Amino acid sequence: MNTSYYDQCVAFALSQRGFKATQFEETDWRVFHRQIANPGSIFPAMGKGGIVLPTVMASLLGREPDKAVSVVLLSANKVKSEVVLYNPMDDCRQTVDMAAFISSWHQSGGSCTTAFPPNNSTYTPRPIDLSGIQLPDGYVELQETIAENNHDVWATERQSEGWTYGPKRADYSLETPDMVPYQQLPESEKEYDRAMAINTLKLFVALGYDIVKRQ
């Protein structure tokens, strides 16, 4: 991700909210950074007044070489299946196909920053910082097993609620394309479970625990 474009996006997004500040640190907004592309969360985030800064590949903006670039998600029209982005490379607003945007977001690595105005009724979570934790090789091998089991737990719970497989998610009929074995999930969906597994293993290390396999 090009940090200069990210800074430009932050400054633009804050100016749209009436701030003279150019960095989130100069405001009291709550800021979150994620590495998993999740359209199901960023679109509602906009509805709650959030600022959404995903990364996309430069080719989506009509630019080469193809590198990851931060943009500002300004609006989304599900009827027309298009989104409006602030393009920092050309300092302009740009309308792109929604499916192409999501695909480009996944391709760029799924990075996204969201920021929300202060809310005194919402507690401030303080998770342990795991960014500097390196997992031993043996722990990394556990990642996929934990991720697969997490998906199976999720699927069991959803099936108990009446959910079944469907080619598209449909809440009214309780259908989802994710109701398949873990191995058949697209890589973008597997990343949810992998992130949970990795963070759990890193937490063990951060707290001073070792995992030893019984002989």
Side-chain angles (χ1 to χ4, degrees), residues 115-136:
F116 299 89
N119 184 340
N120 293 332
S121 65
T122 300
Y123 86 104
T124 301
R126 294 181 173 84
I128 295 174
D129 182 10
L130 304 175
S131 59
I133 301 296
Q134 297 294 323
L135 291 178

Side-chain angles (χ1 to χ4, degrees), residues 2 25 40 44 84 88 95 119-120 126 159 161 198 202 207:
N2 189 302
E25 290 76 11
V84 178
T95 301
N119 184 340
N120 293 332
R126 294 181 173 84
Q159 287 182 3
E161 298 169 353
I198 291 174
K202 284 186 175 181
L207 296 177

Side-chain angles (χ1 to χ4, degrees), residues 7 11 20 24 26 32 53 61 91 107 165 175-176 178 187 197 214:
D7 292 341
K20 293 183 179 180
F24 285 130
E26 300 172 10
F32 305 89
L53 283 69
L61 309 175
D91 190 22
Q107 187 181 353
Y165 171 81
E175 294 180 343
T176 171
D178 295 336
E187 287 299 310
R214 292 193 300 272

